[in-house]
Amino acid sequence: AALLHKRSKSLRERFLRHGNVSDIDEAVFLARQALELTPNNHLSRAMCLDSLSTSLYSRFRRLGNTVDIDEAVSLARQAIDLSPHDRPQHANRFDGLGRSLHERFIELGNVADLDEAIDLRRQTLNSVAKSDTTWCLRMGNLAEDLRLRFKELGHIDDLSEAIALQREASEM
């Protein structure tokens, strides 16, 4: 399973670099195989779920098939449920689920997805030290989701918070 997982990640990277759809299709296929070979109670199961979720997200971004983003969201939730809360991967998995929910909101317009993405982005930000190299990026992701919700619902507090976050990020 580990070798399938690694090959899947490499194919996804090549897809992201060159855009060949056959690479992402094969990455999804191999990630599914790796997941199927990984027992439910195995320590690597969360990693396999997360990897398949990421590949499906990447394929959705290119092809726009909502089945892919729906499955990416479902798998990301499962990965979070299996991840120890004290590990750095947990924040990354929260962020990944937030990213998928953000994209699904863009595609389908369900504000509940955006609300959940914002909650996840907040949790991610609260679980990462300000000295972390990803802090500003994560803050920017939260600000962007708040700005989108302002555009959708018109709540000025969302826009004010987005501006404050963007200001703080630019001052770091």
Side-chain angles (χ1 to χ4, degrees):
L3 292 174
L4 293 170
H5 169 75
K6 287 178 182 179
R7 198 164 95 213
S8 173
K9 283 179 64 174
S10 295
L11 285 161
R12 183 176 63 235
E13 288 299 319
R14 190 167 73 182
F15 165 76
L16 292 172
R17 174 71 52 106
H18 298 290
N20 188 340
V21 174
S22 65
D23 283 341
I24 195 63
D25 287 342
E26 187 177 356
V28 168
F29 176 78
L30 294 172
R32 276 192 206 288
Q33 283 188 319
L35 181 60
E36 288 171 11
L37 292 171
T38 306
N40 288 339
N41 59 351
H42 195 277
L43 292 175
S44 296
R45 184 133 179 111
M47 178 186 65
C48 289
L49 287 161
D50 186 59
S51 183
L52 178 54
S53 174
T54 301
S55 291
L56 288 163
Y57 166 84
S58 296
R59 188 167 71 179
F60 167 77
R61 293 279 318 256
R62 174 70 184 272
L63 301 176
N65 185 344
T66 57
V67 171
D68 283 343
I69 197 66
D70 289 341
E71 187 178 2
V73 167
S74 175
L75 293 167
R77 288 185 202 287
Q78 292 175 53
I80 287 170
D81 289 344
L82 293 177
S83 298
H85 294 278
D86 60 343
R87 298 274 171 89
Q89 299 94 329
H90 196 69
N92 292 339
R93 291 188 177 132
F94 270 25
D95 196 57
L97 176 55
R99 179 190 63 220
S100 291
L101 288 163
H102 169 99
E103 289 298 325
R104 193 165 73 174
F105 166 75
I106 298 292
E107 182 71 19
L108 303 175
N110 184 349
V111 176
D113 284 340
L114 187 57
D115 289 341
E116 187 178 356
I118 289 169
D119 290 343
L120 288 162
R121 305 283 198 187
R122 287 187 200 287
Q123 289 177 53
T124 300
L125 208 53
N126 290 332
S127 65
V128 174
K130 283 189 176 184
S131 60
D132 188 291
T133 58
T134 64
W135 173 260
C136 288
L137 175 66
R138 293 176 195 273
M139 189 181 295
N141 290 340
L142 174 57
E144 175 60 15
D145 285 347
L146 287 163
R147 188 190 65 76
L148 280 174
R149 191 167 65 181
F150 164 75
K151 286 180 68 176
E152 188 72 19
L153 302 176
H155 296 134
I156 194 66
D157 290 346
D158 285 338
L159 185 59
S160 296
E161 184 179 357
I163 292 168
L165 289 168
Q166 291 162 338
R167 182 176 294 125
E168 184 177 350
S170 67
E171 293 171 356
M172 295 186 88

